[in-house]
Amino acid sequence: MLDFELNRIENKKIGKIYKPLYVGNYISIEKALNGGYVKKNTELLLVKIDNKNIVAFSKHIMAFHHIAEGYLNEKPYMLTFCVICNSGMVMNPEVNGKMLHFYVAGVYNGMLLMTDKESSSYWDHITGKCLHGKYLNYQLQILHSHEIQTAEELLTTCPDSQYGIPKINFLQKLLSYFQNWKASIKGEGFLPPGFRKSMMEIDNRLPEMEMGIGIWNDNHLSKFYTLKVIKENGKQIIDTFYNHNVLIYISPLNKNPIAIYVDDIIKAEFNNDRLELSNGNYITSGRMFSRDGHEIKMVQPNQMFSRWYGFVLTFPNCKILNKTDANVL
């Protein structure tokens, strides 16, 4: 992120409107479906404590809460989500063994800015880095990037998953749906009042509201792939990312791009809802399998499906995959 400047924080009262979700109650994803908490096509943001312990949150409702944190099987987690730039992350909110309680402090670089109740420090909601205050330069542990599945898909792939029960009234739910409608990734999006004042000049290599997937490694070396280029290349791209081969593909179910590392320079082609790789492996419902049906763990770079301005203001020196580069492998 660019150098932090306190005077660029806007909408400081936003934390009084949008309340974080400190999760106390869970129900099974099956009960959430049967009880009307979610519908089959509801998009869920997943928090994976491990492969067997997953808690899910409605993406639409997270547009109100912005932050959800709690414990699952005594392990801490925090999910962040900014609906305007469609970005966020899953982190460990503990510092020196103590759980910090985060909430929205305002807007910075057109994205949500977090603070914690314990020290009033300011934190980046994507990188997990403390930008100002007691914990300056402290780095929260990144657990994983956003992963999205529909409720029906999650019930099929991980039926033991839990659903974090939101604390939201009818008017707040309407507000969250209005925000989702205005900021829809299928449209041009919008910047609410105060957002632009908090932003530096935007890198003009791409339109500021262009959607795409940005990836980065532990050294914060980064690259951005526009949704348009991925679609024009058969909904999948194989690229070289700092000495690693990476496969970018659009999920047939939730239409979101996903990035994974691959060992070989391979070819990939969709067969209905299944992405078949030239080495015999295939991907379906967000999981990879060998040709004989055994599941293979997917290794992923840090990533976020977001608008250009959100990614480039976080990673100002990022590379961009050009259309002509997409066909080289």
Side-chain angles (χ1 to χ4, degrees):
M1 175 177 277
L2 302 173
D3 291 338
F4 184 72
E5 301 174 11
L6 281 173
N7 62 352
R8 290 216 336 263
I9 302 175
E10 296 289 336
N11 297 25
K12 293 183 179 181
K13 296 182 179 180
I14 198 170
K16 296 181 180 180
I17 301 173
Y18 299 104
K19 303 296 183 181
L21 175 59
Y22 302 130
V23 189
N25 297 305
Y26 304 96
I27 56 175
S28 70
I29 188 61
E30 182 178 12
K31 288 184 178 179
L33 274 163
N34 293 336
Y37 287 92
V38 295
K39 298 178 181 179
K40 289 183 177 181
N41 63 347
T42 298
E43 287 190 316
L44 302 176
L45 291 167
L46 307 188
V47 173
K48 290 188 171 182
I49 303 301
D50 51 49
N51 288 333
K52 295 183 179 179
N53 293 290
I54 297 175
V55 58
F57 298 89
S58 165
K59 181 181 176 183
H60 277 183
I61 292 179
M62 280 299 297
F64 173 79
H65 286 304
H66 294 86
I67 296 170
E69 62 176 292
Y71 291 92
L72 188 63
N73 288 354
E74 300 182 352
K75 295 182 178 180
Y77 67 84
M78 176 172 66
L79 168 69
T80 69
F81 179 61
C82 177
V83 68
I84 303 302
C85 63
N86 199 64
S87 65
M89 195 59 60
V90 181
M91 313 176 197
N92 180 346
E94 286 191 345
V95 174
N96 299 326
K98 179 181 178 181
M99 168 80 89
L100 299 185
H101 295 84
F102 291 86
Y103 64 97
V104 179
V107 176
Y108 191 81
N109 276 341
M111 297 174 283
L112 75 86
L113 179 69
M114 302 189 303
T115 189
D116 66 89
K117 291 183 177 181
E118 287 74 13
S119 74
S120 299
S121 299
Y122 292 111
W123 304 75
D124 187 298
H125 85 286
I126 296 170
T127 66
K129 184 178 180 179
C130 183
L131 305 173
H132 179 83
K134 176 181 178 180
Y135 296 111
L136 178 64
N137 292 326
Y138 186 93
Q139 176 70 60
L140 296 177
Q141 178 191 10
I142 301 295
L143 299 180
H144 61 83
S145 303
H146 274 178
E147 182 173 335
I148 298 175
Q149 291 189 21
T150 64
E152 183 177 34
E153 183 182 6
L154 184 61
L155 181 63
T156 301
T157 58
C158 303
D160 294 330
S161 298
Q162 301 294 301
Y163 178 72
I165 299 178
K167 299 175 182 178
I168 187 169
N169 61 36
F170 178 74
L171 291 178
Q172 292 167 341
K173 185 177 291 187
L174 284 180
L175 177 59
S176 69
Y177 274 83
F178 172 77
Q179 286 192 124
N180 275 284
W181 170 66
K182 289 287 288 183
S184 173
I185 60 174
K186 297 178 182 178
E188 296 180 357
F190 82 116
L191 289 173
F195 274 57
R196 190 170 297 282
K197 288 177 63 178
S198 75
M199 297 161 65
M200 295 287 285
E201 183 177 350
I202 306 298
D203 184 324
N204 63 5
R205 285 180 290 166
L206 291 170
E208 63 183 29
M209 303 301 278
E210 181 96 19
M211 289 298 303
I213 182 171
I215 64 175
W216 68 97
N217 60 22
D218 292 340
N219 295 320
H220 282 200
L221 300 172
S222 54
K223 198 167 187 177
F224 192 78
Y225 304 77
T226 68
L227 192 60
K228 180 180 179 181
V229 168
I230 302 171
K231 288 179 176 179
E232 290 176 347
N233 201 62
K235 299 184 179 180
Q236 54 79 26
I237 287 172
I238 298 170
D239 187 33
T240 301
F241 175 67
Y242 294 101
N243 299 319
H244 291 278
N245 300 316
V246 63
L247 167 64
I248 314 277
Y249 70 95
I250 297 177
S251 169
L253 294 176
N254 58 45
K255 312 305 180 187
N256 290 289
I258 298 170
I260 64 170
Y261 286 126
V262 289
D263 294 330
D264 308 312
I265 295 180
I266 57 178
K267 293 182 179 180
E269 186 175 358
F270 276 102
N271 182 1
N272 295 320
D273 288 345
R274 189 160 112 166
L275 183 60
E276 298 180 344
L277 312 182
S278 58
N279 61 5
N281 298 340
Y282 62 92
I283 299 172
T284 183
S285 296
R287 301 160 72 189
M288 181 184 288
F289 297 90
S290 64
R291 65 173 76 240
D292 56 4
H294 289 97
E295 186 168 0
I296 301 170
K297 182 179 180 180
M298 295 198 301
V299 180
Q300 298 179 277
N302 293 318
Q303 58 194 273
M304 66 179 191
F305 177 39
S306 71
R307 299 197 181 274
W308 167 244
Y309 85 83
F311 190 77
V312 77
L313 287 177
T314 304
F315 302 98
N317 298 313
C318 71
K319 294 183 178 180
I320 301 174
L321 182 79
N322 297 314
K323 183 178 179 180
T324 54
D325 298 330
N327 300 311
V328 297
L329 299 182

